[in-house]
Every structure is written in C-alpha cells, then in structure tokens.
Amino acid sequence: MAEDMLLFWASGSPPCWRVMIALEEKNLQGYKNKLLSFDKQEHKNPEVLQINPRGQLPVFKHGDVVVNESIAACLYLENRFKAQGTQLMPDSVTDQALVLQRMFEGNTLQQKMYDGLFYEHMVPEAERHESAVKRHRENLVTELKLWESYLEKMGKGSYLAGRSFSMADVVVFPYIAFFPRFGLRKERYPRLMEYYEMVKERPSVKASWPPHWLENPQGQETLKDL
C-alpha cells in the first residue's frame, strides 16, 4: 500500500509537511520519499518535472494517481484511506464546514506570515519600504489575534476545529509552527502557543518534524516583540 507511494519534499516547507503529517495519521509509513533542496533548485530537476510540470513541491504519486497540490493530496489520502488511522474529516456536515473553513483560512495566515517574516528575503533591497514592513507586521498581529480568539472560544485543550484533531490541524499547524521558531512570545499569544505545544507532541508531527529544525532547534528572534 504505502510502498506504492512516492513523495518528493523539502525540509520546513509547510505544504510538504502537511502531506507527511497526513501520511503518518493514516498509518501509511514506509512510503518512498526523496528530500530535495530548494536552494539547489532540485525541485526543478527532470525527475520532478516529469511528474509535476510546475516544478513545485510536494510531488505526490500513489500508483498511477498523481496529486501535487498539498491540500488535495491530504484530502485524497483521507478519502482513499477513510477507515484507516485517524479520521481527519468528521461525518457531520456541520462539523466538516468548520474544518474546511479553518483549512482555507490557513491560506490567509500563510500569506500574512510570509509577508511578515520573509519580506526582506523576497523583495530586493532597492524596492523595500519601511512602511511596508510596518504594515505587514500590523497585519500579522491582527491575523494572529484572530487565531488566538478562535482557540480561546474553543476552550483549553481544543484543536483548531473542535475537540478532535482534524484536517484543519494537518493543514494549518505547519504554519503555526513557524511562529515560536521565530520568537513569538507565549505571554502575548498564550492560546496559540499552548496549541503549538500540544500538537508538536503528536506522533505524526514528531515523525515528520523538519530535519533541519532538529539540527538547528533555535530559529531567529524576528517576532519576539510582535
């Protein structure tokens, strides 16, 4: 079963990480995988482009089925192996609605995080503006406070869409994991950091933790004053 699967991935890439968490949650250990480097442009090599002409990661293949969009790959795994491992999508349509809402809200969190953390990396020095840095940080604060409020409303010990670990956590946690790595303070975002501490101990998350984060546990202090 898992032996028929192939995953090309990069360490620390949230889209790759979520697929790996989903594979672990569905008890699909033993899949073939290849760790690639963005810095070396290995995601643009012919082996990848043959499966995914966009040259993006993750690249996921199960037998003859190719699913290269990470959320689509996670949903494929849940639907294909529904009775196996953790049920990641609830049966109730109402409960599903909240899971889907949080999953796709993760796209906004991703954008605000990238803007707030990686603006200087993505924008050439001559095109950078202090006003943009300030705006991105303010937008990120607003976004983080929103997720803080979601978790506060859910109650202590809850996941992003309720009392059970779900596809919302699979999809969004890899973004949330960046914040403490970049110095976000628990004093200012207690519920978000409690959620992080809880989910990082989950076996699926431990098994798929980015290897370069294990080698260098300490990140930067970019967000310590956020």
Side-chain angles (χ1 to χ4, degrees):
M1 193 183 310
E3 294 80 7
D4 294 334
M5 296 178 179
L6 172 65
L7 179 71
F8 290 108
W9 60 287
S11 179
S13 159
C16 296
W17 194 0
R18 62 172 57 127
V19 176
M20 298 171 80
I21 293 173
L23 285 162
E24 292 288 333
E25 290 288 343
K26 302 310 290 185
N27 294 335
L28 292 166
Q29 297 86 356
Y31 58 91
K32 299 172 185 174
N33 72 92
K34 191 167 186 178
L35 174 60
L36 302 179
S37 167
F38 285 126
D39 291 339
K40 297 177 183 178
Q41 293 289 299
E42 292 177 342
H43 58 300
K44 301 295 185 182
N45 70 40
E47 190 176 14
V48 171
L49 292 172
Q50 184 178 9
I51 305 174
N52 184 355
R54 292 186 184 274
Q56 298 173 340
L57 299 179
V59 170
F60 178 73
K61 190 172 184 289
H62 177 209
D64 295 327
V65 177
V66 175
V67 191
N68 290 318
E69 287 295 325
S70 62
I71 293 179
C74 290
L75 290 171
Y76 167 80
L77 290 168
E78 170 65 7
N79 291 328
R80 177 67 179 79
F81 302 99
K82 191 171 183 64
Q84 182 170 312
T86 306
Q87 182 177 353
L88 297 172
M89 289 298 291
D91 294 324
S92 163
V93 175
T94 302
D95 293 342
Q96 284 181 23
L98 182 57
V99 171
L100 291 167
Q101 173 71 24
R102 295 291 179 261
M103 285 169 59
F104 290 103
E105 276 188 283
N107 292 330
T108 303
L109 178 63
Q110 171 200 352
Q111 189 58 56
K112 300 290 176 62
M113 181 188 80
Y114 285 177
D115 289 343
L117 283 176
F118 306 126
Y119 175 76
E120 293 185 357
H121 177 73
M122 296 186 295
V123 179
E125 185 174 1
E127 299 175 20
R128 296 174 197 160
H129 298 280
E130 284 302 315
S131 60
V133 173
K134 182 174 182 292
R135 183 176 68 254
H136 291 325
R137 288 179 69 86
E138 290 173 348
N139 289 341
L140 182 55
V141 168
T142 300
E143 184 69 18
L144 288 172
K145 286 182 177 178
L146 184 61
W147 288 88
E148 181 81 5
S149 72
Y150 290 160
L151 288 163
E152 182 66 34
K153 185 177 180 180
M154 288 287 179
K156 190 174 180 64
S158 69
Y159 295 97
L160 293 180
R163 306 303 295 183
S164 299
F165 185 85
S166 73
M167 190 65 78
D169 304 289
V170 171
V171 168
V172 179
F173 176 79
Y175 296 126
I176 291 176
F178 271 78
F179 296 116
R181 183 168 175 80
F182 280 82
L184 195 73
R185 292 170 58 184
K186 184 175 182 179
E187 295 80 11
R188 295 188 181 181
Y189 302 92
R191 288 295 298 113
L192 201 60
M193 292 302 97
E194 284 172 10
Y195 168 79
Y196 164 77
E197 293 291 342
M198 176 177 68
V199 177
K200 80 171 188 176
E201 296 303 318
R202 197 167 179 88
S204 64
V205 174
K206 282 186 169 183
S208 56
W209 199 260
H212 79 280
W213 288 14
L214 291 171
E215 295 168 6
N216 300 288
Q218 293 299 117
Q220 303 174 29
E221 295 294 309
T222 312
L223 302 178
K224 68 176 182 179
D225 297 321
L226 197 68

